[in-house]
Amino acid sequence: MKKEYSKKEIERILKSEVEIPKAVDQGISRAYREIGIDTKVTMKYTKKHRALAAVAIVAAMVTGLSIVTFAANKFLNAYLVDEGDNKVGYQFEIDRTKEAHAVKVEPTYIPDGYVPANVNDPEGGKWKNENTGGDISVYSYNAAELDDLERKGELPFQNLEKDKNLKSLEISGMKTDVFVSDDFYTDSDKTIKDIYLFNEENGYMVCVWSKSDLSADEMIKVAKGVKVTVLDTVVPYTSDEDVAEEQKADKMFQEAEDKKVEAGVSKDQIFKIGQEVKNPVETSRAYEDIRYTVEDIQVKDALSLDEYPAENYVNYADEMAPWVNPDGTLKPHDRYRKRTSTDADAVLEKDVASKYIVVKMKAVNHGKTGAGTEDDYGVSMAPDLSTLEPREDGNYSYPSSYFLKGNESYELQWESGNFSSFPVYFDKIYHTKGIDRIKAALIRPLQAGEELEYTLIYVIDEDQLDHAYLEFYQGVASAEEIVATPYVKITK
């Protein structure tokens, strides 16, 4: 019988911000990686260096299941469960007396205009339409993977809106559900199509996903054309010991994270402009003694390209230009506000005003060797832009509001699904060619003893200025440790 989770355990699962464990790597993270889904939307923006748990999808209360009697030819029972509040989610029963086998999925029909998203892996299960920005993905789960996720309460097919279940049908003998929902972004005409196919006899699941302007009927044609091959490869089920070990590790991690949140940020961690900050964690790599000094901070309503050239922006043409007015001010944008990092509900706030933060910095390599080799881009020159809230005792709490972008093309804050923000401008960019321009624009080599002065520019919503801080050495330690991370306040 399926384990019944207490309310406390459920909350732990939903709030967990851990490094990707093996189970999630096999299931949730694998799904996102394979389908190329925009994690910034579907995952509801997990925090950098900590969370890659699929918050929006996993945020369903996993309840106990009754014992199910399997028909003689059934390997898998899959069914939708009403979770209340117009939500439904899938639950599974796997007959573990049968061998689980790997499966291979091959679409035989892909709509015109869609090409493999990865030219180096044309059979990787992802297709993209460069003209429309549409995406299609086809991926699968075998019985062992579904069983693993089910037993750990990590199924990524939860919290689905009941009224978005367009139809249930049968495709090639498989039970099939089709869900269609609006895009998360306020300025997008795309819709999300999720098609789930279950082969209960052979024990596998096929998922067809699309974010595009394609119709549901067109995506059903893709699903009908999927060729599935059950391979000879036997996939072992996760042992009870491994499940217990991972759950124990998750519990320890969450207890440490809860302790860190409760402790908050000490006033001793707040540095002033002109003070040097150093890594709070001793590292084994000689070059990692990089120290930073914030020399000046200015908040500006407008910037000119004469003073701050376009070539020094990380990506001016695609990311900055669409959001800059002719006078150099920033256009208003839409955002979603969440009460907590794992809150599944987000409140839309429209036409939010923003400002620039211009930061003059200095970095010095006090290490014994240089940072940056043929295999290493170097070290980060940019602290994160985060927010803190003052406590009555003079210390600080982590933010009570988290934000997600509301416009599809907006990349000026909360970059890559993080609750903190990266700079949009760096006047000492070192990596300037090809994909490295974006991938490593804020990273550069720094030789032993070298000192570098430079300018960074951030974007921040006007109503968050009083709570804004530069956060250094983000993610330098494991989650089990409470580290006195240095901060510098933006406004006086």
Side-chain angles (χ1 to χ4, degrees):
M1 185 168 69
K2 178 71 172 70
K3 180 185 185 300
E4 183 172 347
Y5 288 83
S6 69
K7 181 177 180 181
K8 184 176 181 180
E9 288 175 307
I10 292 166
E11 290 175 350
R12 178 187 63 78
I13 292 171
L14 302 187
K15 295 177 181 177
S16 182
E17 291 186 333
V18 300
E19 297 292 336
I20 308 175
K22 180 174 67 175
V24 182
D25 184 57
Q26 292 175 339
I28 298 170
S29 291
R30 174 184 166 212
Y32 285 115
R33 183 175 66 251
E34 291 186 357
I35 66 177
I37 195 170
D38 186 349
T39 59
K40 289 174 281 188
V41 177
T42 305
M43 293 176 70
K44 297 296 175 75
Y45 295 75
T46 51
K47 185 169 176 62
K48 184 176 65 173
H49 304 301
R50 298 176 189 163
L52 284 177
V55 173
I57 293 184
V58 182
M61 289 192 174
V62 183
T63 57
L65 301 178
S66 60
I67 295 175
V68 176
T69 302
F70 287 88
N73 65 337
K74 264 196 175 184
F75 196 150
L76 160 72
N77 279 329
Y79 42 90
L80 277 173
V81 175
D82 193 323
E83 298 169 341
D85 295 327
N86 193 41
K87 303 292 185 181
V88 294
Y90 284 103
Q91 293 184 355
F92 299 87
E93 288 289 343
I94 310 292
D95 185 352
R96 300 180 72 219
T97 65
K98 297 181 179 181
E99 284 187 340
H101 284 255
V103 297
K104 179 181 180 181
V105 293
E106 301 172 88
T108 61
Y109 171 76
I110 295 294
D112 291 341
Y114 283 80
V115 297
N118 186 348
V119 294
N120 297 319
D121 185 17
E123 297 181 359
K126 297 182 290 184
W127 292 264
K128 188 172 187 65
N129 188 314
E130 296 294 344
N131 294 325
T132 66
D135 295 289
I136 296 174
S137 297
V138 180
Y139 55 105
S140 64
Y141 292 87
N142 61 56
E145 292 170 329
L146 289 172
D147 177 73
D148 184 86
L149 293 169
E150 173 67 37
R151 290 161 65 205
K152 294 174 181 175
E154 295 171 344
L155 284 170
F157 321 109
Q158 313 298 319
N159 203 37
L160 304 168
E161 294 186 55
K162 184 191 303 184
D163 58 9
K164 303 301 183 183
N165 190 350
L166 186 66
K167 61 177 70 177
S168 296
L169 61 157
E170 185 173 293
I171 293 177
S172 301
M174 292 184 281
K175 286 173 32 177
T176 304
D177 288 302
V178 181
F179 288 82
V180 179
S181 58
D182 295 332
D183 195 355
F184 185 78
Y185 299 126
T186 58
D187 53 359
S188 174
D189 58 0
K190 300 181 180 69
T191 57
I192 309 296
K193 273 78 63 175
D194 286 294
I195 303 178
Y196 303 111
L197 304 93
F198 308 95
N199 189 306
E200 296 184 321
E201 181 178 353
N202 292 306
Y204 62 80
M205 175 181 181
V206 176
C207 304
V208 177
W209 174 90
S210 175
K211 177 182 175 182
S212 66
D213 57 4
L214 295 169
S215 68
D217 288 340
E218 185 73 355
M219 290 309 303
I220 290 172
K221 287 173 63 177
V222 174
K224 288 181 176 179
V226 173
K227 176 185 176 183
V228 182
T229 304
V230 179
L231 305 177
D232 293 333
T233 305
V234 175
V235 183
Y237 293 100
T238 304
S239 68
D240 291 339
E241 291 77 14
D242 285 345
V243 171
E245 189 65 27
E246 287 195 23
Q247 290 176 338
K248 179 182 177 181
D250 287 353
K251 180 179 180 181
M252 292 176 60
F253 189 103
Q254 189 58 46
E255 288 174 350
E257 189 70 12
D258 290 344
K259 185 178 179 181
K260 177 180 178 180
V261 171
E262 182 179 355
V265 174
S266 168
K267 57 186 176 183
D268 296 332
Q269 294 172 238
I270 310 301
F271 286 70
K272 296 180 180 179
I273 293 174
Q275 286 185 303
E276 184 180 70
V277 298
K278 63 181 294 186
N279 196 332
V281 176
E282 295 294 332
T283 65
S284 59
R285 291 188 287 184
Y287 68 76
E288 284 201 341
D289 188 8
I290 311 295
R291 305 180 191 179
Y292 304 90
T293 303
V294 176
E295 298 183 319
D296 184 57
I297 298 177
Q298 295 184 34
V299 177
K300 293 179 175 287
D301 294 322
L303 298 178
S304 71
L305 291 179
D306 291 336
E307 185 175 5
Y308 302 99
E311 59 264 27
N312 292 336
Y313 284 85
V314 175
N315 189 350
Y316 188 84
D318 296 330
E319 295 184 358
M320 282 300 303
W323 294 97
V324 177
N325 292 310
D327 63 357
T329 59
L330 290 162
K331 297 177 182 178
H333 67 96
D334 298 339
R335 73 184 184 193
Y336 289 94
R337 182 190 293 264
K338 294 169 50 167
R339 294 164 297 181
T340 66
S341 62
T342 55
D343 189 1
D345 297 318
V347 177
L348 176 63
E349 298 175 346
K350 297 184 70 67
D351 298 326
V352 180
S354 303
K355 291 182 179 290
Y356 300 97
I357 299 174
V358 180
V359 181
K360 301 291 185 180
M361 291 274 297
K362 179 174 70 176
V364 182
N365 184 353
H366 287 266
K368 297 178 181 178
T369 63
T373 67
E374 291 182 1
D375 301 320
D376 187 351
Y377 284 109
V379 294
S380 173
M381 295 289 106
D384 289 0
L385 181 63
S386 304
T387 56
L388 298 173
E389 296 177 0
R391 292 179 175 177
E392 292 183 358
D393 61 3
N395 297 315
Y396 300 84
S397 297
Y398 293 104
S400 60
S401 291
Y402 297 84
F403 299 103
L404 303 76
K405 68 175 188 175
N407 305 99
E408 188 169 20
S409 66
Y410 191 79
E411 300 291 345
L412 307 188
Q413 298 181 78
W414 320 301
E415 189 171 350
S416 301
N418 303 318
F419 290 109
S420 51
S421 299
F422 298 155
V424 296
Y425 179 99
F426 176 34
D427 68 347
K428 296 295 192 299
I429 291 177
Y430 180 87
H431 302 286
T432 59
K433 296 181 180 180
I435 192 172
D436 289 345
R437 171 73 184 192
I438 307 300
K439 180 180 179 181
L442 303 174
I443 300 172
R444 63 166 293 145
L446 201 64
Q447 301 307 312
E450 182 179 357
E451 178 178 303
L452 183 72
E453 292 188 329
Y454 54 97
T455 299
L456 301 171
I457 298 176
Y458 299 79
V459 171
I460 189 170
D461 289 343
E462 190 172 352
D463 62 357
Q464 296 301 303
L465 263 174
D466 289 342
H467 303 292
Y469 292 78
L470 295 173
E471 180 181 5
F472 293 81
Y473 308 104
Q474 169 65 272
V476 294
S478 65
E480 288 79 7
E481 300 178 65
I482 296 180
V483 179
T485 305
Y487 291 84
V488 173
K489 197 174 190 305
I490 296 299
T491 58
K492 296 180 181 180

